[in-house]
Amino acid sequence: MADDFEQLKCVLLTINEDRLILPNAAIAEIVPVRNMINVANKPSWVLGFLDWRGNSVPLISFELMGGVRMPSLASEEVKAVVIYTVGDDASLPFMSFLVKGAPQSINIIASDVIPNNEESNHPAIDQKVMVKGEMASIIDMEALESIIKETV
């Protein structure tokens, strides 16, 4: 954020006990987990592929990727967030992961984000922060995309 008064529309997503913060523009859609194609011989965090709007979108458990138990897919609270990828690989325009509950929209400015020194062992978490009094994790989108590309 170049200017402290420049607002960025973001979304807070819940995964188990953690909250992830993403720019609103990164999210294509939040959908029920249906029409999933299972895969074999992949890490447990690769759940399969969503058939979403004619696209085969990799679906992962962000929690399992980080070594934490994922929520039950039987819960109606669990949905898939489909996000745009940041790279220029046309073979992977979207990726998705499980989220729990409803997303929370927030507008933030630079001074709303306070870095936290808490370490994360998750390979796709850039850093943990406090945002308007709430703990949240910032996703390293390039790392997440790279891990998914290498695995699926």
Side-chain angles (χ1 to χ4, degrees):
M1 288 178 235
D3 189 292
D4 190 46
F5 298 106
E6 186 178 325
Q7 285 194 355
L8 181 62
K9 285 183 171 265
C10 291
V11 176
L12 282 171
L13 302 167
T14 302
I15 61 163
N16 273 344
E17 303 305 316
D18 202 1
R19 304 276 301 219
L20 301 176
I21 188 165
L22 284 170
N24 192 49
I27 298 174
E29 189 172 7
I30 297 176
V31 297
V33 180
R34 291 189 208 131
N35 303 328
M36 187 171 76
I37 302 159
N38 292 322
V39 294
N41 304 320
K42 300 288 182 196
S44 60
W45 53 265
V46 177
L47 304 177
F49 290 87
L50 284 179
D51 179 12
W52 177 74
R53 298 181 182 237
N55 295 286
S56 184
V57 179
L59 174 65
I60 67 158
S61 168
F62 199 83
E63 300 93 330
L64 275 177
M65 180 187 275
V68 177
R69 184 183 62 83
M70 75 176 211
S72 169
L73 287 174
S75 169
E76 289 188 20
E77 283 190 311
V78 177
K79 300 199 180 330
V81 59
V82 179
I83 58 177
Y84 298 102
T85 56
V86 294
D88 56 5
D89 184 350
S91 69
L92 187 66
F94 307 100
M95 52 191 171
S96 64
F97 56 88
L98 299 178
V99 294
K100 197 166 111 181
Q104 178 186 348
S105 294
I106 60 170
N107 291 321
I108 61 172
I109 57 176
S111 62
D112 290 335
V113 180
I114 302 166
N116 184 328
N117 293 330
E118 183 180 337
E119 291 290 321
S120 174
N121 294 327
H122 197 289
I125 297 260
D126 184 46
Q127 74 179 98
K128 296 207 175 255
V129 296
M130 289 289 289
V131 179
K132 295 190 175 187
E134 289 194 55
M135 282 291 291
S137 296
I138 297 174
I139 298 176
D140 182 335
M141 295 290 285
E142 291 174 347
L144 179 62
E145 186 174 332
S146 176
I147 293 165
I148 290 173
K149 271 194 228 180
E150 290 172 8
T151 308
V152 299

